[in-house]
Amino acid sequence: MSAPLSEPFTAGIGNPPPRAVAEGRGWAWGGLVAGLAGLLLIFASGPLYPFEEADIIDNAKMVARFDDAAMWWVFATQVAFTVAAFGAVIFGAGLRRRLDKQCPAGSLVPVTAFLGMVLVGVMSLVGAGMGTELFHNLRMRDKTDPDTIIAEAAQIGTYGWLWAGLLLTAFALVVAAFRQGAVSRWIGVVSLLFGLLLLVTQLTPFQYMALFVGFPYLLVLGVAFAFGRVRTAE
């Protein structure tokens, strides 16, 4: 049995309109948490290089330098990478929503800024995975090939480059500030400075230094969007 075509369509009439979701600033704390996790990474990675100059030619000597505390420092890096991963993606999602409201329709700035944070998040999970592998190999270091342990430890020490995705976010915010007026100009200036520093790390053989640039940048952005004034779209 089919409904007559002349019958008016009444579905949805009288139903309450969809409830708007209040826009909070909790997402901005994701940037702060990710930045603090980056700082923890630096502190936790320090004790993982206990070597003397004379040890470097022999991986077995290098492994002998590790004590039982080393695997817990590795575990700390795993936790920090994981926290940074989820904090970065949450921050990126909120930043995209904010920019969607402030940027002109059809602008690529919101999605570009978001994808930069997704890159940081995804690659940080890669770092967390290596932490798990190294943790167990250090726990069983008497039964594990020293070459494997040192290779994994070396990778952990260079994973700062995983934060290079912030380049996209930084330059998206520069455009948002100076061309589209979507964020404060001082955020554009800060993003330009940190973005240039990140670019230098990626164009030189010091890519792992991206972490040293990335974590303070995320802390600044997190504070700015958590406590700063919201610009009104024109």
Side-chain angles (χ1 to χ4, degrees):
M1 180 177 181
S2 60
L5 294 177
S6 59
E7 184 175 330
F9 179 74
T10 58
I13 296 179
N15 293 333
R19 187 164 56 92
V21 178
E23 181 177 341
R25 298 192 179 196
W27 58 271
W29 286 88
L32 279 169
V33 169
L36 290 173
L39 182 61
L40 174 60
L41 274 173
I42 294 174
F43 279 108
S45 298
L48 298 180
Y49 197 86
F51 317 120
E52 299 288 344
E53 190 76 19
D55 300 334
I56 297 177
I57 198 171
D58 188 335
N59 285 343
K61 287 184 178 179
M62 295 174 75
V63 171
R65 292 281 182 182
F66 287 124
D67 55 20
D68 289 339
M71 64 181 182
W72 295 111
W73 285 114
V74 170
F75 180 67
T77 68
Q78 175 188 327
V79 172
F81 271 127
T82 302
V83 171
F86 292 112
V89 173
I90 290 171
F91 179 76
L95 182 60
R96 177 179 180 174
R97 183 178 65 180
R98 169 68 64 84
L99 293 175
D100 273 336
K101 293 181 177 179
Q102 305 295 128
C103 292
S107 171
L108 294 179
V109 165
V111 70
T112 302
F114 174 58
L115 288 177
M117 298 309 304
V118 169
L119 275 177
V120 173
V122 170
M123 297 309 293
S124 292
L125 285 181
V126 174
M130 181 55 71
T132 291
E133 185 71 12
L134 181 56
F135 175 87
H136 289 294
N137 282 337
L138 281 175
R139 185 172 59 85
M140 300 182 293
R141 56 187 178 276
D142 294 338
K143 303 175 182 177
T144 306
D145 182 359
D147 294 346
T148 299
I149 293 176
I150 295 303
E152 292 172 350
Q155 287 190 49
I156 288 284
T158 60
Y159 272 176
W161 67 267
L162 304 183
W163 291 55
L166 278 171
L167 255 175
L168 286 176
T169 302
F171 287 116
L173 287 175
V174 170
V175 175
F178 294 113
R179 297 202 56 172
Q180 301 181 349
V183 297
S184 300
R185 294 178 72 85
W186 76 265
I187 292 180
V189 172
V190 168
S191 296
L192 180 62
L193 293 175
F194 278 101
L196 289 174
L197 288 174
L198 283 165
L199 183 62
V200 169
T201 66
Q202 299 310 296
L203 296 180
T204 60
F206 300 99
Q207 289 184 303
Y208 49 83
M209 297 296 288
L211 172 59
F212 292 86
V213 180
F215 92 82
Y217 179 48
L218 264 185
L219 288 176
V220 172
L221 289 182
V223 170
F225 286 106
F227 303 107
R229 182 173 62 88
V230 178
R231 292 176 70 88
T232 302
E234 297 179 355

